[in-house]
Amino acid sequence: MPVPTAPAAPITTAKLSVIEQSKRLAAYTAVDQHILPKHKVIGIGSGSTVPYVVERIVQQGEELNKGRVFVPTGFQSKELIVESKLSLGDVDQFPTIDVTIDGADEVDSELNCIKGGGACHLREKVLAEAAETFVLVADYRKNVQYLGTNFPGVPIEVVPFAYAKVLQNLHHRLGSPNATLRMAKAKAGPVVSDNGNFIIDAPFSLEAMKDPFTLMARIKMLTGVVEVGLFCHMAQAAYFGNQDGSVTVKSRLEGEVIEETISPA
Ligand SMILES: O=C(CO)[C@H](O)[C@H](O)COP(=O)(O)O
């Protein structure tokens, strides 16, 4: 069997920073390995890595794509799908998705991840859950042993009415004294999600982050919390583009997570 190699760098690579090249490499490799001709309903995630996913899907050609429907996780991916002239669908029409590919803020050694850096994690989790196969794509900085190594907090979507109470509970009952409401950059006031909700970013101790499922369940029990940006036991594979042009792949095989590195082409 031929040894898999990462996709060859496209001509425009020279213009991209190393991090952008790594994102593209991860996205291209994941599409090549997971978006197959038989896949007709495809979930498209959010963030800065996902445009490369769509770019690679478009490269598969009109013939394949005309028989497919693409389901977005929010405003950004909806725009991407429409601009790329792909067919748009929604998860209420397609509650079962063949493959969803999405970015991640961090992925641990068990394929758990933090998501919600772009405040889209409610819809992202619905599309992850709807997918037969859920795949993550990211640059090398997101590949960690434990969640919270580099990414500062767990994104939590809350209904606006409850945010102060949820913050108080996080500070005093759940061990996150530095949890804060995420403020908008080019607007006065808080970030408002695509669902009209607020986002809290809650940092936790490494000890708590070592058991993300328990932490996720405890946060989700707080009244007013809509969704938590901890995705546990959901991804089948994660692709990380590396600085040297290789791609590290973590994948679940018979319950075990295995890691391999694909050399540059
Ligand atoms: O969860 C997300 C948005 O809510 C993104 O997928 C996550 O923030 C990763 O984004 P990027 O590819 O820009 O690093």
Side-chain angles (χ1 to χ4, degrees):
M1 207 170 104
V3 180
T5 52
I11 315 155
T12 53
T13 291
K15 294 191 199 122
L16 293 180
S17 69
V18 173
I19 288 173
E20 288 304 309
Q21 285 180 43
S22 309
K23 290 177 186 180
R24 178 153 75 178
L25 203 51
Y28 276 26
T29 312
V31 170
D32 291 356
Q33 296 197 356
H34 291 276
I35 308 288
L36 308 179
K38 66 178 179 185
H39 295 135
K40 300 298 176 202
V41 183
I42 295 159
I44 300 292
S46 327
S48 58
T49 314
V50 160
Y52 299 120
V53 169
V54 175
E55 186 174 277
R56 190 58 158 180
I57 288 172
V58 169
Q59 287 170 14
Q60 290 188 341
E62 258 178 61
E63 199 49 39
L64 263 183
N65 283 318
K66 75 179 178 203
R68 288 173 167 163
V69 173
F70 296 85
V71 181
T73 51
F75 181 88
Q76 180 221 357
S77 41
K78 183 176 172 187
E79 292 290 290
L80 258 175
I81 292 166
V82 171
E83 278 165 19
S84 306
K85 301 189 170 30
L86 299 170
S87 303
L88 190 64
D90 210 341
V91 73
D92 45 15
Q93 298 164 279
F94 300 98
T96 302
I97 293 173
D98 291 320
V99 187
T100 292
I101 304 194
D102 202 345
D105 296 305
E106 258 182 6
V107 186
D108 74 8
S109 52
E110 293 301 312
L111 276 174
N112 302 310
C113 68
I114 299 181
K115 290 188 49 57
C120 301
H121 53 283
L122 168 59
R123 293 186 190 209
E124 290 173 338
K125 204 178 261 190
V126 173
L127 263 69
E129 223 170 74
E132 307 274 3
T133 307
F134 176 50
V135 177
L136 298 165
V137 287
D139 65 74
Y140 54 91
R141 299 169 304 168
K142 315 289 184 71
N143 184 4
V144 295
Q145 188 175 5
Y146 298 116
L147 298 180
T149 302
N150 302 313
F151 198 72
V154 175
I156 304 168
E157 181 159 348
V158 293
V159 293
F161 172 75
Y163 93 89
K165 188 65 203 163
V166 173
L167 264 180
Q168 193 183 56
N169 281 331
L170 287 164
H171 292 165
H172 300 299
R173 288 183 37 211
L174 260 65
S176 182
N178 296 321
T180 50
L181 186 63
R182 190 183 295 179
M183 302 308 283
K185 292 267 159 42
K187 161 193 172 281
V191 166
V192 178
S193 75
D194 287 353
N195 317 301
N197 295 318
F198 291 172
I199 306 293
I200 289 173
D201 291 301
F204 288 92
S205 66
L206 177 63
E207 232 16 68
M209 296 301 280
K210 280 184 179 174
D211 184 0
F213 185 83
T214 300
L215 181 61
M216 186 265 296
R218 290 187 72 208
I219 301 170
K220 208 161 167 177
M221 285 302 288
L222 297 175
T223 305
V225 169
V226 180
E227 196 46 82
V228 183
L230 288 170
F231 288 41
C232 304
H233 320 141
M234 297 187 91
Q236 274 79 41
Y239 289 73
F240 306 94
N242 296 319
Q243 287 157 290
D244 63 359
S246 65
V247 179
T248 297
V249 188
K250 283 178 180 169
S251 47
R252 203 176 296 283
L253 207 68
E254 290 165 11
E256 292 283 301
V257 176
I258 53 158
E259 184 170 319
E260 57 173 339
T261 296
I262 306 174
S263 318

